[in-house]
Amino acid sequence: MGGGSCPCGRTFRLIKGGVAGRSDDITKIKGVLVAPSAIEEVVRSIQGLGNEFEIVVTKKGDLDDITLKIEILPGAESRRDQILVQLKDHLRLKTNLGYNIEVHPFQSLPRYEVKAKRFKDLRK
């Protein structure tokens, strides 16, 4: 954390790196604390991906397994391989985790009003 000031003279504390998500949204996966909002930020930053996605965390033996379901926009299918490489690289940088990526036809994933439903933790 560092200090900062406003032109009005008020001083305040800054959080380096910003806020990743609400603490009650953060989940430990493969020993790493992950905010689903960080995954959402990556998905929505990649040109050619639709805004809808779904994250499913399961347990395979003793290991956590993460599947990210995404949709590629119509007209971007020819860049599929490039989009997937970019997505995996950005996810690794942002969350420090690897993902199984499932590409679904455009508009086939459920549409949710509440973003929390996009994250499914099936390990329990």
Side-chain angles (χ1 to χ4, degrees), residues 41-58:
E41 184 181 314
V42 171
V43 169
R44 295 193 175 182
S45 73
I46 306 286
Q47 277 194 328
L49 288 182
N51 283 333
E52 295 303 325
F53 64 94
E54 195 170 80
I55 306 157
V56 181
V57 182
T58 57

Side-chain angles (χ1 to χ4, degrees), residues 69-84:
K69 300 176 183 182
I70 51 115
E71 298 176 343
I72 294 180
L73 294 173
E77 295 93 347
S78 64
R79 296 187 306 110
R80 175 188 170 120
D81 292 343
Q82 176 189 356
I83 290 169
L84 293 179

Side-chain angles (χ1 to χ4, degrees), residues 3-110:
S5 65
C6 178
C8 73
R10 184 178 177 137
T11 59
F12 50 90
R13 295 176 70 167
L14 296 175
I15 301 172
K16 288 185 181 176
V19 177
R22 292 172 40 135
S23 64
D24 56 345
D25 289 341
I26 295 176
T27 304
K28 189 178 259 190
I29 305 170
K30 297 182 182 181
V32 177
L33 292 175
V34 178
S37 59
I39 299 169
E40 176 179 18
E41 184 181 314
V42 171
V43 169
R44 295 193 175 182
S45 73
I46 306 286
Q47 277 194 328
L49 288 182
N51 283 333
E52 295 303 325
F53 64 94
E54 195 170 80
I55 306 157
V56 181
V57 182
T58 57
K59 200 117 174 117
K60 290 192 176 173
D62 291 336
L63 302 175
D64 293 338
D65 193 62
I66 313 168
T67 299
L68 175 60
K69 300 176 183 182
I70 51 115
E71 298 176 343
I72 294 180
L73 294 173
E77 295 93 347
S78 64
R79 296 187 306 110
R80 175 188 170 120
D81 292 343
Q82 176 189 356
I83 290 169
L84 293 179
V85 167
Q86 186 180 13
L87 176 62
K88 287 179 182 183
D89 287 350
H90 281 73
L91 286 169
R92 174 72 68 187
L93 285 170
K94 186 79 172 176
T95 67
N96 208 24
L97 292 169
Y99 297 76
N100 303 311
I101 307 293
E102 284 184 8
V103 178
H104 291 258
F106 185 65
Q107 295 190 332
S108 68
L109 290 176

